[in-house]
Amino acid sequence: MRTELDELRPMLLEIFNHLHQHPEASWEEVETTAYIKNLLQQNGLQPQTFDDCTGLVVEIGDGPHKVGLRTDIDALWQEVDGTFKANHSCGHDAHMTMIIGVLLLLKKLNYQPSGKLKVLFQPAEEKGTGALKMVEKGIVDDLDFLYGVHLRPIQEISDGTATPAIFHGSAKFIAGEIIGEDAHGARPHLGKNAIEIGAALINEMGKIHVDPMVPSSVKMTKFHAGGESSNLIPGHASFHLDLRAQTNEVMETLTAKVEKITQAIAALYEVEIPLETKAFVAAAKVDPQAQKLMEKAIVDTLGNVTAPYPSSGGEDFHFYTVKRPHIKATMLGLGCDLSPGLHHPKMTFNHEAIFSGIEILTKTIMNTFEHLKKEAPQHYEQHC
């Protein structure tokens, strides 16, 4: 397999460089989608695009069992050297290259899966809404297994190692308003001071207690009230809340407590405080069998494996298992000397890790089809 992969190296590096140099923000991945579609068609595949959104899916083989492989395709919108622009600082350019590499390597190996391999090029991971769109379209309904991949920062995994699961936490971003009345600075009793109300929110949310064995946090990350006049007490404010929890169950508890506190303070101060969830990412649901199959592929490729670990970051990949619980899934965490960190505008990593990732994911796919064939051989005999 390494020989065939080495033969693909120049093409894969060219693909990575193109994707890296042409980043597109969430739901705007028009050229990225077109580039991947054209590339796959040139290699004898028949990708399917969508009428109402970016992204694409391609299938190989057919049979009673289905295995999926997913990559995200969007870039972050962030400030780089003083200019806001799309930027691949989360490694999605590498993820795309790896998944394309798996398809090209399987073709070069003349591998025919004993079922259907479905590969998803998913948009808008950074918005936390791309996976939900794919679920809505029914793309993953027939899958038995689903795999993903994410580069890991040097603070988590060292270069040359990998983990067969990433236990991402849940994240929720809530926008709120305080709708009160302005007042003269000399007559505070005639208004509703939005700043004081905001302070009360912060104070009470700091007292939220949930299961101490599950990492979690609630904090206000934005608050805006008032203007240029320092003798005017502002009655209106806008704010953002950032909620984190290692499990989906604790996230539900956090959300309920935040809502209850907001309602109580709104009643106490006689104001309105509407809340709106802007984005939500589910916590990981890792399947033990999927993890085991990927672990074998990692050991066969690298000779060692790093134990799975909890991560405070979020990934919309996990919506697939939350919305479709029958899917057995896990995500490869790939060490690659990534620094200074994910989402840093100057993020860099060891590009050699791309090839290790391709080999691991290819072997994981093969392992999974072999496992399914042994698990239910009669289905394959009937299909043949």
Side-chain angles (χ1 to χ4, degrees):
M1 183 179 292
R2 262 292 168 178
T3 300
E4 290 83 359
L5 186 53
D6 285 341
E7 291 173 358
L8 290 169
R9 176 182 291 266
M11 179 190 297
L12 291 169
L13 288 174
E14 182 179 336
I15 290 170
F16 171 77
N17 288 331
H18 175 90
L19 293 169
H20 181 74
Q21 293 166 12
H22 297 84
E24 294 177 296
S26 300
W27 296 124
E28 298 177 6
E29 312 95 331
V30 176
E31 295 303 322
T32 301
T33 298
Y35 173 81
I36 297 172
K37 178 183 178 181
N38 183 59
L39 178 64
L40 296 180
Q41 287 177 332
Q42 289 177 355
N43 284 276
L45 298 172
Q46 298 179 332
Q48 170 196 345
T49 54
F50 311 110
D51 294 333
D52 60 342
C53 70
T54 48
L56 61 156
V57 62
V58 63
E59 298 178 353
I60 299 175
D62 195 15
H65 288 291
K66 281 79 175 177
V67 178
L69 184 59
R70 170 269 197 183
T71 178
D72 29 26
I73 68 172
D74 57 330
L76 281 159
W77 184 262
Q78 66 182 154
E79 186 175 359
V80 182
D81 295 329
T83 302
F84 277 93
K85 59 195 292 189
N87 185 40
H88 273 305
S89 58
C90 199
H92 296 187
D93 45 358
H95 303 167
M96 287 185 276
T97 305
M98 281 186 265
I99 271 54
I100 293 170
V102 170
L103 288 168
L104 297 179
L105 182 56
L106 289 174
K107 179 184 177 184
K108 201 167 188 64
L109 293 169
N110 294 314
Y111 177 76
Q112 293 297 322
S114 53
K116 179 185 289 183
L117 172 62
K118 183 178 291 190
V119 180
L120 288 72
F121 293 86
Q122 179 214 297
E125 188 278 328
E126 298 296 353
K127 292 283 189 182
T129 51
L132 291 172
K133 186 68 171 179
M134 298 297 102
V135 171
E136 175 190 313
K137 288 180 172 295
I139 302 298
V140 300
D141 287 356
D142 61 345
L143 294 183
D144 299 296
F145 283 82
L146 177 63
Y147 298 102
V149 59
H150 209 301
L151 303 183
R152 304 317 298 160
I154 194 171
Q155 296 89 345
E156 294 182 3
I157 303 180
S158 59
D159 191 17
T161 63
T163 182
I166 309 172
F167 287 92
H168 285 108
S170 176
K172 184 174 286 189
F173 310 107
I174 299 175
E177 283 187 274
I178 299 170
I179 305 173
E181 296 180 12
D182 291 355
H184 193 288
R187 302 176 184 85
H189 62 292
L190 298 179
K192 306 292 183 182
N193 191 331
I195 296 175
E196 291 178 351
I197 298 169
L201 284 170
I202 294 171
N203 185 47
E204 293 304 317
M205 288 180 188
K207 299 174 185 176
I208 290 176
H209 298 293
V210 294
D211 185 350
M213 300 304 293
V214 180
S216 63
S217 66
V218 181
K219 56 274 184 191
M220 192 173 288
T221 54
K222 175 184 176 182
F223 189 87
H224 184 268
E228 296 183 4
S229 300
S230 57
N231 66 340
L232 181 111
I233 299 173
H236 184 274
S238 60
F239 60 90
H240 284 183
L241 301 174
D242 179 298
L243 282 64
R244 305 277 171 161
Q246 201 58 51
T247 68
N248 294 315
E249 294 74 18
V250 170
M251 176 57 76
E252 290 177 5
T253 301
L254 281 182
T255 302
K257 288 181 178 289
V258 166
E259 291 173 348
K260 186 173 290 187
I261 286 170
T262 303
Q263 291 166 5
I265 289 178
L268 177 65
Y269 285 89
E270 299 178 330
V271 296
E272 295 180 33
I273 310 180
L275 299 177
E276 179 184 0
T277 298
K278 291 295 187 179
F280 166 64
V281 178
K285 293 281 188 180
V286 175
D287 178 75
Q289 186 61 60
Q291 179 180 328
K292 182 179 179 181
L293 292 166
M294 181 171 281
E295 181 175 330
K296 182 181 186 302
I298 293 172
V299 173
D300 288 347
T301 302
L302 301 177
N304 62 80
V305 65
T306 298
Y309 61 93
S311 172
S312 58
E315 238 288 352
D316 84 341
F317 176 83
H318 306 299
F319 275 128
Y320 292 115
T321 49
V322 169
K323 297 296 184 180
R324 298 293 182 267
H326 71 276
I327 297 176
K328 299 176 181 179
T330 193
M331 175 171 276
L332 171 66
L334 191 62
C336 55
D337 200 23
L338 188 154
S339 63
L342 292 168
H343 290 204
H344 190 283
K346 300 292 186 179
M347 183 274 278
T348 61
F349 70 97
N350 180 5
H351 295 175
E352 282 299 308
I354 291 174
F355 302 98
S356 296
I358 292 170
E359 188 171 349
I360 292 168
L361 291 169
T362 302
K363 289 178 178 177
T364 299
I365 295 299
M366 291 178 167
N367 291 346
T368 304
F369 278 116
E370 186 63 26
H371 163 75
L372 290 167
K373 189 174 182 179
K374 290 179 180 178
E375 186 180 61
Q378 68 277 10
H379 292 304
Y380 289 95
E381 292 170 1
Q382 292 170 3
H383 182 74
C384 293

